[in-house]
Amino acid sequence: MNGYGSSTHAGGSGTSIGMYGQGLGNTGLTTETGSDQGVAPHKDQLADRRVMFMGLPRSGKTSIIKVVLDNEQAYDTLGLLSTTQRTEHRMMPGITVYDFPGIDDYAESQYIVLNPDIYEGEHTSLVFVVDSQSDIQSAITALFSVMRTAQSVNPHIPINVFINKIDGLSEELKQDIQHDIQQRVLKNMSFENLNCDHMHFLLTTIYSESIKEAFSKVIQYLVPQHSSLEAIINSFCSKSSLDKVLLIDFSTKIYLATDSSPTYSPRYTFACKTIDVIDEISALCGSYVPVDEDDLPLQRINVALDGYEDIFIYQISPSLTLFCFGPPQIISQTSLLEFNGSKVAKAIRKLLPI
Amino acid sequence: MGRSGAGKTSMRSLIFANYSASDTRRLGATIDVEHSTVQFMGDLGLNIWDCGGQHKYLDNYLNEQKESIFGNVEVLIFVFDLETTNKDREYTLYDECLLNLAQYSRDAKVYCLVHKMDKILDSDQKAAMVETYKKALNKRSDMFQPGVYGTSIWDHTLYQAWSQIVYALVPNMATIKRHLSNFCRLTDAAEVVLFERATFLVVCCTSGDEDEPQLEKYMTISQGIKHYRNTCTEQTSPFRSVHIRTRAYSLFVEPFTKSTYILVITADPEIEPAVTKANIDAARSHFAKLAD
């Protein structure tokens, strides 16, 4: 995957246990870590902008990351082994995704709770994955222990609860499950005086685009200069009379920013499918020309539909594209769109480290 | 034609009824003969007779109904099941069919599709398997020279085989091809491909240089677009056209005549897309006379 790398955080859990030993000096685990480490534990270095995936074991954290970031097929993740060490995955605009081991192993769960440092920082977001098909109560218990720690150091940390594995459930049942979990969590939060302004509940499954949409919503908090990006896209939208513009990462299909009109899931799903087809076709027709520093776009695509809107895709860097929905008469005025697109592309290239 | 469970109806649904490969799982056994008429390339009506493969029907075809079944046949497509437990029975059936065909419609073309090729993973083995079938079948069918193809509903091989079949069926194919390569030359296009509109089968393709046209590439494109068209229909905004421009090439997929879509790829970045588009529009009325 262009630009993405995943690497196992070397000695991650070793260091963490070391810190844990320091915290609970007399539990007896110090000896274990002491022999393991033998050096003074140092502060865990986590990336500045980060998303942390937590949850019970087998709730689908690693699968989600594999499907979204590494473009793996959902069926291929069935055989994944459980994660024993924290792994990190780098994402495009300087965001790092951390995959934590499932919270059941005694030491690790303590690590997550007893290391409040990891929740610090303005650009930190927490994703808690709940398996909708198994024991919800114990997931919520784990969520609360994480939440208490997180909010004690960072009261404004966004906490996204992914209600995962909803494939195959009826629309009604999905809503029921979401409602149930949401009620239980929010009620208990108010009992414990926790701040629930930054809670988000999202229904996900790796077998549909819902996971990418949920991921996008998490990522948008962390994208540098997000408000400026949104302002740029808003003005692009109104100046070119487009209905909807998404700034999409081509390889993962996550959208980093969009205009401020609401994003409907079917539309986003449709955008993903369009990109899939375009990707397939353009892969056949020749490779990318290396980028040089000028304003020319790499790829411009018109998709005409016989409905009420057409699609215009404007690639602004090897990985980012502007995905525009607009009325057919607008899309056919390609020269206007291209001129505006080039201006927007220039601005976005300045804002984002590409 | 073919034995029961070989995949005849799956194949037909996939090509002519916009099914996706996994949709075919819910198909049941075909009872007796299912007739369907497909409008193909405008006025060319294909009568497809999907013959049920169960024993009792097969006996029927070969005895009482043989005149109605084998009379006036243009193309016989015999589907072989790769996984069959009894190869000899399949061959005997094939022999009997050909015998009848020779009697009632001597000019028919015969195509043998070795189906469910996805069960073999290795590509060398696949080729070897098709080769063995080819040899065995050539020995058996002296007067009909059957085209033998390995197919699978899970990849583009099925489309490839059907494109070949269709190619042979369309009567004025040579003319269309000549005009298409003319068009290709006039627009300075690198590649021009004609798709049938309803099924998105490749009807005809030419390329500017003398290279062998890359049929597989077009198959993948055609399947991708067919799939996408279904998605678009779900979104209640039917698909019309795609136009991709990069610095290296420009690609158009446009509705062409009433019954066809056209794919034009130009490799020269100097050619303005608008020119190509105007050319496509100009050629439309000319081809309407030929292809509809």
Side-chain angles (χ1 to χ4, degrees):
Chain A
M1 310 298 102
N2 31 358
Y4 293 77
S6 74
S7 62
T8 305
H9 186 93
S13 75
T15 339
S16 58
I17 293 172
M19 290 198 61
Y20 156 63
Q22 200 183 41
L24 290 177
N26 45 9
T27 47
L29 257 150
T30 12
T31 42
E32 188 191 315
T33 50
S35 65
D36 198 53
Q37 284 274 300
V39 286
H42 58 87
K43 189 170 184 275
D44 244 336
Q45 285 298 319
L46 291 179
D48 213 19
R49 294 174 187 278
R50 59 179 179 269
V51 183
M52 295 182 291
F53 269 75
M54 294 179 183
L56 293 188
R58 309 200 53 80
S59 56
K61 300 174 290 298
T62 311
S63 296
I64 290 178
I65 292 173
K66 290 265 183 215
V67 168
V68 177
L69 297 184
D70 298 344
N71 267 335
E72 260 188 44
Q73 288 295 311
Y75 287 101
D76 293 346
T77 64
L78 284 174
L80 278 180
L81 295 174
S82 54
T83 313
T84 53
Q85 267 196 336
R86 187 178 74 214
T87 53
E88 60 177 53
H89 303 256
R90 276 186 206 89
M91 265 199 61
M92 230 287 295
I95 295 171
T96 312
V97 178
Y98 289 99
D99 182 14
F100 282 86
I103 310 178
D104 75 330
D105 174 38
Y106 176 66
E108 273 303 328
S109 66
Q110 292 301 309
Y111 163 67
I112 284 172
V113 176
L114 291 172
N115 270 292
D117 309 3
I118 57 171
Y119 305 105
E120 270 172 14
E122 201 184 335
H123 303 294
T124 308
S125 184
L126 181 68
V127 174
F128 196 90
V129 186
V130 175
D131 181 354
S132 64
Q133 308 284 332
S134 75
D135 184 10
I136 289 172
Q137 191 51 52
S138 55
I140 291 180
T141 317
L143 169 65
F144 266 89
S145 65
V146 170
M147 224 154 38
R148 277 183 219 113
T149 327
Q151 291 211 346
S152 67
V153 285
N154 188 355
H156 299 295
I157 186 169
I159 299 171
N160 306 279
V161 179
F162 281 16
I163 302 165
N164 200 21
K165 308 194 191 173
I166 49 141
D167 42 296
L169 301 184
S170 71
E171 212 47 52
E172 239 168 61
L173 194 54
K174 278 184 214 171
Q175 299 304 330
D176 276 357
I177 290 177
Q178 181 176 8
H179 187 75
D180 177 41
I181 293 179
Q182 211 162 328
Q183 283 301 310
R184 280 205 239 176
V185 171
L186 293 178
K187 210 162 85 189
N188 280 331
M189 279 179 92
S190 59
F191 283 149
E192 298 195 20
N193 275 333
L194 290 167
N195 177 5
C196 42
D197 295 348
H198 303 285
M199 294 295 292
H200 305 273
F201 294 87
L202 299 156
L203 290 167
T204 61
T205 165
I206 51 168
Y207 294 96
S208 80
E209 314 293 350
S210 65
I211 187 60
K212 293 188 170 151
E213 200 180 356
F215 216 100
S216 308
K217 286 184 179 150
V218 174
I219 294 295
Q220 279 178 42
Y221 276 101
L222 307 175
V223 171
Q225 318 276 6
H226 181 254
S227 49
S228 323
L229 282 177
E230 193 173 304
I232 292 171
I233 293 175
N234 267 338
S235 85
F236 177 47
C237 238
S238 58
K239 294 273 156 47
S240 328
S241 4
L242 295 165
D243 294 340
K244 182 84 197 155
V245 176
L246 299 158
L247 178 63
I248 294 187
D249 181 281
F250 213 78
S251 57
T252 56
K253 294 183 230 85
I254 288 174
Y255 63 94
L256 301 175
T258 172
D259 62 317
S260 34
S261 69
T263 312
Y264 300 109
S265 328
R267 209 182 229 179
Y268 172 68
T269 311
F270 187 56
C272 287
K273 294 216 165 119
T274 310
I275 288 181
D276 277 337
V277 175
I278 300 294
D279 208 23
E280 192 179 356
I281 294 177
S282 48
L284 283 168
C285 291
S287 49
Y288 290 120
V289 190
V291 216
D292 38 346
E293 292 300 315
D294 56 17
D295 294 339
L296 275 175
L298 299 159
Q299 208 174 25
R300 291 155 291 172
I301 300 154
N302 290 359
V303 180
L305 304 168
D306 277 335
Y308 50 92
E309 58 186 13
D310 281 7
I311 296 167
F312 178 70
I313 305 171
Y314 190 95
Q315 197 178 11
I316 59 179
S317 83
S319 56
L320 291 177
T321 54
L322 285 170
F323 198 103
C324 319
F325 287 97
Q329 63 274 24
I330 301 299
I331 299 291
S332 54
Q333 296 172 358
T334 345
S335 41
L336 171 77
L337 279 179
E338 271 173 24
F339 182 76
N340 286 347
S342 73
K343 298 288 171 215
V344 173
K346 208 171 179 178
I348 291 175
R349 273 197 290 253
K350 269 187 197 154
L351 278 176
L352 287 180
I354 291 169
Chain B
M1 271 281 173
R3 290 192 62 82
S4 78
K8 301 173 291 300
T9 311
S10 296
M11 195 179 267
R12 186 178 58 116
S13 319
L14 202 70
I15 301 271
F16 295 104
N18 276 335
Y19 275 49
S20 77
S22 44
D23 285 344
T24 59
R25 284 200 190 123
R26 62 164 187 245
L27 290 171
T30 308
I31 292 164
D32 211 356
V33 183
E34 271 181 22
H35 305 259
S36 52
T37 315
V38 182
Q39 282 295 316
F40 194 82
M41 294 289 289
D43 58 354
L44 185 69
L46 293 184
N47 284 302
I48 301 171
W49 290 30
D50 184 5
C51 304
Q54 270 74 12
H55 242 296
K56 51 179 179 190
Y57 305 132
L58 286 177
D59 284 346
N60 241 337
Y61 305 151
L62 296 172
N63 299 312
E64 289 125 52
Q65 306 179 348
K66 57 184 172 189
E67 235 181 294
S68 65
I69 294 274
F70 291 99
N72 282 324
V73 174
E74 196 71 47
V75 174
L76 172 79
I77 298 167
F78 198 96
V79 183
F80 286 92
D81 185 352
L82 191 69
E83 281 191 310
T84 182
T85 43
N86 196 338
K87 244 184 202 169
D88 291 334
R89 286 252 286 278
E90 221 167 25
Y91 280 132
T92 336
L93 176 67
Y94 177 71
D95 286 343
E96 282 176 42
C97 284
L98 281 202
L99 217 67
N100 282 307
L101 200 64
Q103 197 178 344
Y104 294 103
S105 17
R106 300 184 62 84
D107 304 324
K109 294 191 185 74
V110 178
Y111 291 92
C112 298
L113 305 185
V114 184
H115 204 43
K116 306 190 186 174
M117 282 309 269
D118 48 297
K119 303 286 180 194
I120 305 178
L121 294 174
D122 187 55
S123 59
D124 290 341
Q125 265 179 24
K126 268 186 197 173
M129 191 51 116
V130 174
E131 216 36 61
T132 21
Y133 266 99
K134 212 176 241 173
K135 268 190 204 132
L137 291 172
N138 272 331
K139 236 189 291 172
R140 280 161 187 281
S141 32
D142 38 354
M143 59 171 286
F144 304 100
Q145 268 125 24
V148 183
Y149 303 98
T151 58
S152 156
I153 56 169
W154 300 97
D155 57 26
H156 56 78
T157 49
L158 184 64
Y159 284 84
Q160 204 163 344
W162 273 90
S163 285
Q164 302 283 349
I165 295 170
V166 164
Y167 191 89
L169 268 177
V170 176
N172 56 348
M173 189 54 92
T175 334
I176 294 178
K177 183 150 191 164
R178 209 176 54 241
H179 284 265
L180 202 65
S181 50
N182 242 344
F183 172 72
C184 180
R185 194 169 42 79
L186 289 171
T187 48
D188 266 329
E191 290 152 64
V192 179
V193 184
L194 212 58
F195 296 112
E196 204 281 325
R197 189 173 265 213
T199 55
F200 251 94
L201 288 171
V202 174
V203 174
C204 184
C205 54
T206 57
S207 59
D209 38 16
E210 294 307 304
D211 292 349
E212 191 65 16
Q214 300 145 295
L215 205 56
E216 263 184 43
K217 174 170 137 184
Y218 306 141
M219 289 304 154
T220 322
I221 293 179
S222 99
Q223 245 187 321
I225 291 191
K226 190 175 176 183
H227 193 81
Y228 181 61
R229 194 171 55 167
N230 289 346
T231 330
C232 290
T233 316
E234 277 166 30
Q235 296 289 317
T236 65
S237 44
F239 170 79
R240 195 167 66 235
S241 66
V242 182
H243 174 200
I244 303 178
R245 270 165 300 160
T246 69
R247 277 183 234 165
Y249 65 89
S250 192
L251 177 148
F252 297 80
V253 178
E254 288 270 335
F256 199 44
T257 65
K258 240 180 4 218
S259 56
T260 54
Y261 257 81
I262 196 165
L263 164 80
V264 180
I265 302 176
T266 53
D268 188 348
E270 294 290 297
I271 302 171
E272 276 296 320
V275 176
T276 316
K277 194 140 193 304
N279 277 330
I280 293 176
D281 289 339
R284 189 168 289 137
S285 61
H286 179 70
F287 275 90
K289 277 179 249 156
L290 287 170
D292 280 347

